[in-house]
Amino acid sequence: MDFSILDELPDYLSEETLKMYFNQVIEYYESTESVNKIDFSEGIYQLSERQWHTYKPLDVLIKQKVDLIIKEILDPISYELMDNVTSIIAYLGLTESFQALKEIDKTNLGVDVRKLIEETINELDGNIDNPYSGIE
């Protein structure tokens, strides 16, 4: 799947259109043996940002699937990947991925990744369930 097409989508999409794209990306992930985690996370990031701009929560079933996938692909060795997934977690309010993020052993991480994780935890702790808590 060419995830770069998701970057070219309009900034604002209907909920139905977003659901269609999320389902396509999830299906691709579930049916492909080796997915480039960074490219995949960039695609989900693009959709998540657009979903956030609908000011409505993502469909519960899609959110659960995305949450499990993001939890699966967490890799604190890669700053680029972690930058994408921390944003996805925030945009969609992914509770399981957030919990996994909190449980990452930070002792052997690079300074930039550790700082990114700590900032995300500080920002979202206590309000992960509501991605819009900062604007209410």
Side-chain angles (χ1 to χ4, degrees):
M1 177 172 197
D2 181 7
F3 294 109
S4 66
I5 62 166
L6 302 175
D7 187 35
E8 298 168 11
L9 293 172
D11 289 342
Y12 298 95
L13 296 169
S14 73
E15 289 178 78
E16 288 306 311
T17 301
L18 282 164
K19 283 170 77 170
M20 177 197 67
Y21 280 116
F22 271 110
N23 282 322
Q24 284 178 2
V25 171
I26 291 166
E27 184 178 310
Y28 174 79
Y29 180 84
E30 292 175 342
S31 66
T32 305
E33 271 199 37
S34 181
V35 175
N36 181 304
K37 291 179 181 181
I38 292 174
D39 291 346
F40 176 80
S41 69
E42 180 61 33
I44 291 285
Y45 168 81
Q46 293 297 332
L47 294 176
S48 299
E49 184 177 36
R50 286 161 177 83
Q51 175 64 41
W52 190 85
H53 282 105
T54 68
Y55 300 102
K56 295 179 182 171
L58 181 60
D59 174 85
V60 174
L61 293 176
I62 294 173
K63 181 178 175 179
Q64 288 172 342
K65 288 179 182 179
V66 172
D67 201 0
L68 292 175
I69 292 170
I70 296 302
K71 184 177 166 184
E72 243 178 59
I73 68 168
L74 282 175
D75 181 1
I77 302 304
S78 169
Y79 179 84
E80 187 176 5
L81 177 67
M82 293 305 288
D83 190 34
N84 285 339
V85 299
T86 53
S87 294
I88 294 165
I89 290 168
Y91 278 139
L92 300 179
L94 304 180
T95 55
E96 288 195 34
S97 298
F98 182 65
Q99 187 59 41
L101 186 71
K102 289 170 64 173
E103 294 171 2
I104 289 175
D105 180 8
K106 297 168 201 61
T107 54
N108 294 320
L109 298 180
V111 173
D112 52 347
V113 173
R114 185 176 356 176
K115 183 178 177 189
L116 177 66
I117 291 171
E118 289 170 353
E119 287 174 352
T120 302
I121 291 169
N122 289 337
E123 181 182 334
L124 300 177
D125 211 14
N127 62 3
I128 184 62
D129 292 334
N130 182 3
Y132 303 103
S133 63
I135 60 170
E136 291 179 335

